[in-house]
């Protein structure tokens, strides 16, 4: 996992902008192209696989909108609001919205994400449909490539989230105390390294992208 944490982030779009720019930067690196495609037979005018990801800005859609579209495209009983989006549904979203580009899905239900993600607020907030300021970055054929969020910097809300997630407040006191004595609005994200290699390299099986392969009778970490 490749991870980044950033201070002074007050908006989820800022975190997504950094995540997208970071991944785009690696795709533009000629050394990556040479390593992946040096032996790929192609004409001088043929587009490299990664180049199609560098055009338009990657689409962004909320979890709620994605669920409604999944119900419309795959059936009303395929998913309900509050359910996890399956791997197959993630790939469907990437195809439906991205048309080959990665897609950010944002604002998942609070119950589906860790306690430390910042809860969204709105004038007509329904506790049963509360969401957090987070995202999953979905790519075609792979599904989830990266995930990130704003982190909860408000002490009372963080303490409440610990209890609601069924965790022991005493076990997390060291964490909540960091908020009590001062913090800044912040956020971060993580990119699955093997998933990234599978995506840009075109390998269908992620097990082929693990640096230390393992099989029955052999486990080297």
């Amino acid at each position: 996992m490749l991870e980044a944490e950033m201070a002074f982030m007050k908006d989820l779009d800022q975190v997504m902008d950094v995540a997208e720019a970071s991944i785009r930067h690696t795709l533009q690196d000629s050394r990556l192209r040479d390593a992946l495609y040096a032996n790929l037979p192609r004409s001088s005018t043929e587009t490299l696989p990664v180049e199609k990801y560098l055009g338009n800005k990657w689409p962004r859609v909320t979890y709620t909108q994605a669920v409604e579209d999944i119900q419309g495209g795959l059936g009303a009983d395929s998913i309900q609001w509050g359910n996890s989006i399956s791997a197959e549904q993630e790939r469907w979203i990437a195809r439906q919205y991205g048309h080959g580009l990665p897609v950010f899905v944002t604002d998942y239900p609070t119950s589906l994400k860790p306690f430390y993600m910042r809860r969204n607020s709105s004038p007509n907030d329904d506790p049963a449909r509360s969401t957090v300021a987070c995202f999953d970055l979905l790519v075609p054929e792979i599904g989830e490539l990266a995930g990130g969020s704003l982190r909860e910097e408000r002490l009372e809300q963080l303490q409440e989230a610990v209890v609601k997630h069924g965790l022991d407040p005493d076990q997390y006191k060291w964490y909540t105390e960091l908020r009590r004595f001062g913090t800044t609005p912040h956020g971060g994200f993580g990119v699955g390294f093997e998933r990234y290699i599978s995506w840009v390299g075109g390998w269908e099986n992620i097990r082929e992208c693990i640096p230390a392969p393992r099989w029955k009778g052999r486990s080297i970490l």
Side-chain angles (χ1 to χ4, degrees):
M1 179 72 73
L2 308 176
E3 297 185 343
E5 289 288 330
M6 299 160 287
F8 311 113
M9 291 282 172
K10 297 182 178 181
D11 187 272
L12 184 62
D13 283 324
Q14 293 178 297
V15 182
M16 289 189 289
D17 287 343
V18 174
E20 180 173 346
S22 300
I23 296 172
R24 280 177 175 271
H25 178 76
T26 64
L27 297 177
Q28 293 170 330
D29 194 316
S30 61
R31 291 170 296 181
L32 174 70
R33 298 168 185 242
D34 291 343
L36 289 174
Y37 309 119
N39 298 318
L40 181 68
R42 65 186 182 92
S43 67
S44 59
T45 58
E46 184 179 352
T47 301
L48 288 171
V50 296
E51 291 176 347
K52 63 184 178 183
Y53 308 131
L54 301 175
N56 298 327
K57 189 174 180 64
W58 298 346
R60 300 176 182 184
V61 61
T62 66
Y63 166 89
T64 299
Q65 183 61 55
V67 166
E68 292 175 357
D69 290 341
I70 291 171
Q71 291 174 332
L74 301 179
D77 296 331
S78 58
I79 189 173
Q80 299 298 319
W81 198 96
N83 294 157
S84 296
I85 299 176
S86 69
E88 180 55 38
Q89 290 167 346
E90 287 179 341
R91 291 190 286 270
W92 184 88
I93 291 171
R95 294 192 299 269
Q96 185 74 8
Y97 286 100
H99 303 292
L101 293 175
V103 179
F104 288 98
V105 179
T106 68
D107 305 308
Y108 281 75
T110 304
S111 60
L112 295 181
K113 293 297 181 180
F115 74 93
Y116 56 78
M117 293 188 175
R118 196 181 200 277
R119 180 175 173 177
N120 290 321
S121 58
S122 64
N124 301 316
D125 194 13
D126 180 358
R129 293 174 68 92
S130 65
T131 62
V132 289
C134 67
F135 71 83
D136 284 349
L137 179 61
L138 310 180
V139 297
E141 310 307 329
I142 300 298
E144 182 182 351
L145 174 67
S149 74
L150 294 178
R151 313 312 193 196
E152 184 59 83
E153 85 283 2
R154 300 166 296 183
L155 176 61
E156 291 185 5
Q157 286 83 345
L158 183 62
Q159 291 173 326
E160 180 182 334
V162 169
V163 174
K164 284 187 174 181
H165 280 75
L167 303 173
D168 183 355
D170 289 337
Q171 294 290 328
Y172 288 89
K173 186 175 181 180
W174 67 271
Y175 188 79
T176 56
E177 291 295 277
L178 296 174
R179 271 56 172 177
R180 183 186 303 279
F181 296 105
T183 186
T184 63
H186 58 289
F189 64 91
V191 180
F193 182 71
E194 287 84 3
R195 288 174 178 261
Y196 171 82
I197 296 299
S198 177
W199 174 50
V200 299
W203 283 280
E204 295 182 0
N205 194 326
I206 194 172
R207 287 178 293 183
E208 297 177 357
C209 305
I210 298 175
R214 298 183 295 275
W215 58 84
K216 184 177 181 180
R218 182 184 185 275
S219 179
I220 298 178
L221 303 177

